[in-house]
Amino acid sequence: MSGTSAGEELGAQAARARALALLRIRSRATAVALLPAAVAVVLFAAGVQGFADGSGWDAARWAVTACAVVVLLVAAAVAIAVVRARPAISPTVPLSEKAAPDLYRLVRDLAERLGVPAPSAIALTPDCDSWLEDRTHPAADRAAREAAHRDAAGPGTGPGGRRRVQAAPVLVIGSPFLWWMRVAELRAVLAPVVAGTGPSAHPDIAAARRFVRGLDGVVADAAVPVQGPVRKVLRLPRALVGRIARLLLRSCHSHAAEMERGVAAAASTRAQAVDYGLRIVAQEQVGLAYAGWDRLLTRVALPAWRMGRWPSRLDAGVVSALTELSRRDRLADGFTSRLGERPACDLLEEPGAADEAASLLAARLFHGGPAETGPGWSPVDWQQYPEEVVDRKWRTEAARLHRVLDDMSVPPASAAGMSGMAGAAVPTLARVVEHLASGNGSGEELAAGISAAVARDEAQAQVQNPQQVPGSAGSAGSTGGAGGVSSSGGPGAGGPSGSGGSAGSGGDVLDFWGPDPLPLFPLQPPRTGTELLADHVAAMVCCAAVDTAGAAPGLDWLDGPALLVDGERRSDLGTPVLSLVEDGDAGPLHSWLASVGVRTDKPVRLV
């Protein structure tokens, strides 16, 4: 026996041993539930045969019988809850075989080379990771059957039909991998993931996983808060079932963790026979893709989401972001050569539709937008990003800044010396600079006013649109309307239709997450008043540069909104603005403005 086969066998045996331990916990729980009933049967049998006569034995029999009935009812309730509970299902964009025949063929060939069952379906997730997801729990089976019934081109209609969806796990692939990696790199990265279908097909491991996932679903259901005394009383049985499930889950924790480690070890050992050398190189691309994806979401996508716009080509943007990163780090030569190879997204029939669906799902997960496009929630292309997002963001924040100054009765700048028709001061940069440089706590007061204005804009947007996600107007003002959760469809039901079946139309992809408020994974914590003020002052400076110095809004793939002066990005604005906001020192900012040629006394166009 070779070293690889021996290592794989050891991992599989360890996983099966832990699975049997989990099943023994289930069996012991069943035995404990049946024990009072068994004692009652013995007592009744002894009474019939004359071995336990008398009033004392009669009382004992009926007491044990009553206890057995209660225990059996509770056990039945727990069993039904475990069967019916919805375990956590990752939000994904399903890919049918019609939408990605080459990708399905690659995965099947990979499974054949590894000697393991092929995954039942493939789905995309807006994350830099890949895994196998067990959706054989009865709740997931019901959802799969309903989706297959509603969408004949869904992922369950590949070769093997509906039974394959129920029998094998689903392969979830991070969508950034498809755009950044080459075909050979993707195959090498997916090899240890696909190899996991071998241990997963073992009946004991599959049964143990269903048991643990069912317990986890029961605990999650019992933890959902309810309002009102009547509902709390009606929820007491579910709370009792949840406590029992939590006790069982706690006893299963170590065995379940060791079982998954054994499965991973067996899969990794088996995958060493396929593209092992290339996998070492491809792992570098995994880390690079993660860095670029995180930067793209936090610096580029988040400002657009706050404006009520969602970039519809996030995965394509990862390639631009990582190409820019490689250029800045002087790695362009090596990356340019690999970019000449066939990208993995060519395995899809319509890469644009899949990218659009994954981009909308990313917006919903990380920001909280609705499932469908609308007046306050629409896609934006990268070519439109500078005008539709950057310029609008700057002018919205500048308008809010001057509204707060008007509310504080701040006089116009001494150089301007005039007011508008409604009595408001002319919106000039000089007014902002003079007020912050005057000292006497002007910065703290203005920061508090900005924070209050942001809160009012959010509340107003919430009133106008009850489905508005709180916090989406944090930097966009009342015009940035990123809405809340809509139950009328997932990424395949709204704007990104996922042509060719790339996005399933069988209901909302976030239905399994229940009533949890979106975003599920917020990217950034709430900003402080000083941070908001610095953003608003920087936006005002950028507006003045665009209107008086011929600058232009732009997009930096690594830093998001950018100010372009003579076609070059100016990234040195942050320090002068912070000196003005935090210390009241306007000297560095005046020097910066003079170098760019900005006129602070000229009015700025606002939204």
Side-chain angles (χ1 to χ4, degrees):
M1 180 181 293
S2 65
T4 299
S5 300
E8 178 187 353
E9 184 65 23
L10 289 175
Q13 288 180 358
R16 288 194 291 269
R18 294 293 180 169
L20 291 175
L22 291 171
L23 296 179
R24 281 195 294 269
I25 293 176
R26 185 181 65 178
S27 300
R28 290 167 186 166
T30 305
V32 170
L34 295 176
L35 182 59
V39 174
V41 170
V42 171
L43 290 177
F44 274 102
V48 171
Q49 297 179 5
F51 295 110
D53 291 332
S55 59
W57 285 108
D58 292 338
R61 271 191 293 269
W62 290 113
V64 172
T65 300
C67 178
V69 170
V70 172
V71 172
L72 288 176
L73 289 176
V74 172
V78 173
I80 293 174
V82 170
V83 172
R84 297 182 60 86
R86 285 191 169 191
I89 301 295
S90 302
T92 57
V93 176
L95 277 178
S96 68
E97 187 170 3
K98 179 181 178 181
D102 292 340
L103 181 58
Y104 271 79
R105 190 177 304 112
L106 181 147
V107 172
R108 290 196 182 111
D109 292 344
L110 186 58
E112 184 177 355
R113 292 175 61 186
L114 292 169
V116 297
S120 62
I122 300 176
L124 299 181
T125 181
D127 194 8
C128 290
D129 199 1
S130 297
W131 64 89
L132 289 172
E133 185 155 293
D134 181 14
R135 298 185 179 178
T136 57
H137 190 277
D141 281 346
R142 289 193 296 270
R145 288 194 296 270
E146 293 170 2
H149 178 72
R150 288 190 296 261
D151 185 7
T157 59
R162 185 180 303 169
R163 292 190 59 85
R164 291 196 59 199
V165 175
Q166 299 178 12
V170 174
L171 175 61
V172 181
I173 304 175
S175 59
F177 291 166
L178 290 175
W179 271 257
W180 176 242
M181 290 186 172
R182 309 298 99 180
V183 173
E185 294 172 345
L186 180 67
R187 182 175 59 246
V189 169
L190 292 181
V193 182
V194 175
T197 60
S200 299
H202 193 277
D204 293 336
I205 295 177
R209 281 177 166 174
R210 286 195 299 269
F211 176 56
V212 173
R213 287 168 60 83
L215 291 176
D216 184 67
V218 174
V219 172
D221 290 342
V224 176
V226 294
Q227 302 294 333
V230 177
R231 291 186 177 181
K232 290 182 178 180
V233 172
L234 295 177
R235 193 175 180 78
L236 289 178
R238 181 176 295 183
L240 175 61
V241 172
R243 289 180 66 89
I244 297 174
R246 187 179 294 107
L247 179 62
L248 292 173
L249 190 62
R250 189 179 298 116
S251 63
C252 295
H253 181 269
S254 61
H255 294 297
E258 292 299 328
M259 180 184 70
E260 297 301 336
R261 290 191 185 97
V263 170
S268 178
T269 304
R270 179 183 287 268
Q272 290 181 4
V274 178
D275 298 330
Y276 182 69
L278 181 59
R279 188 176 311 118
I280 298 176
V281 179
Q283 287 299 329
E284 300 177 0
Q285 306 305 321
V286 173
L288 195 63
Y290 182 86
W293 182 250
D294 179 74
R295 199 72 176 258
L296 187 73
L297 292 182
T298 56
R299 302 294 183 89
V300 179
L302 187 58
W305 294 338
R306 287 172 172 164
M307 297 298 301
R309 309 297 299 273
W310 52 276
S312 59
R313 294 293 184 270
L314 281 180
D315 294 310
V318 170
V319 180
S320 299
L322 292 176
T323 303
E324 176 66 16
L325 178 63
S326 65
R327 183 187 66 82
R328 294 184 186 180
D329 289 346
R330 299 181 181 180
L331 300 173
D333 293 338
F335 285 110
T336 301
S337 61
R338 63 177 294 277
L339 289 178
E341 303 173 10
R342 184 190 182 193
C345 63
D346 281 356
L347 299 173
L348 307 179
E349 287 293 297
E350 297 186 21
D355 192 359
E356 189 173 359
S359 299
L360 179 55
L361 180 57
R364 301 188 65 197
L365 291 177
F366 301 120
H367 179 69
E372 297 181 350
T373 60
W377 185 246
S378 57
V380 60
D381 203 359
W382 292 125
Q383 289 76 14
Q384 302 171 337
Y385 188 95
E387 292 296 329
E388 296 291 335
V389 176
V390 179
D391 187 74
R392 184 175 163 217
K393 171 183 181 293
W394 288 344
R395 298 191 185 279
T396 301
E397 292 180 346
R400 183 189 291 122
L401 177 61
H402 280 280
R403 286 200 305 270
V404 174
L405 292 175
D406 293 339
D407 295 339
M408 296 170 57
S409 301
V410 174
S414 57
M418 56 183 177
S419 300
M421 296 180 60
V426 174
T428 62
L429 178 59
R431 181 192 187 196
V432 178
V433 175
E434 289 183 6
H435 175 71
L436 290 175
S438 63
N440 300 324
S442 57
E444 290 80 358
E445 184 181 1
L446 184 56
I450 291 293
S451 299
V454 169
R456 285 196 301 270
D457 290 341
E458 292 177 1
Q460 181 181 0
Q462 185 72 18
V463 171
Q464 293 176 352
N465 182 8
Q467 292 184 334
Q468 181 89 8
V469 174
S472 60
S475 66
S478 59
T479 59
V485 186
S486 172
S487 60
S488 55
S497 59
S499 177
S502 65
S505 59
D508 195 337
V509 295
L510 297 180
D511 279 345
F512 274 104
W513 288 82
D516 293 339
L518 294 179
L520 296 175
F521 311 105
L523 293 177
Q524 291 180 345
R527 292 171 294 172
T528 64
T530 301
E531 292 173 339
L532 287 173
L533 176 58
D535 288 345
H536 284 66
V537 173
M540 184 64 196
V541 173
C542 292
C543 290
V546 171
D547 292 345
T548 66
L555 167 62
D556 186 274
W557 290 108
L558 298 178
D559 294 323
L563 180 66
L564 303 181
V565 179
D566 296 331
E568 297 292 332
R569 172 176 174 256
R570 294 296 297 261
S571 59
D572 54 347
L573 177 59
T575 300
V577 169
L578 286 178
S579 298
L580 176 63
V581 170
E582 296 179 351
D583 304 327
D585 182 9
L589 183 58
H590 280 304
S591 300
W592 189 92
L593 296 173
S595 66
V596 178
V598 177
R599 294 283 302 273
T600 61
D601 58 327
K602 294 294 184 180
V604 172
R605 178 175 60 87
L606 305 177
V607 293

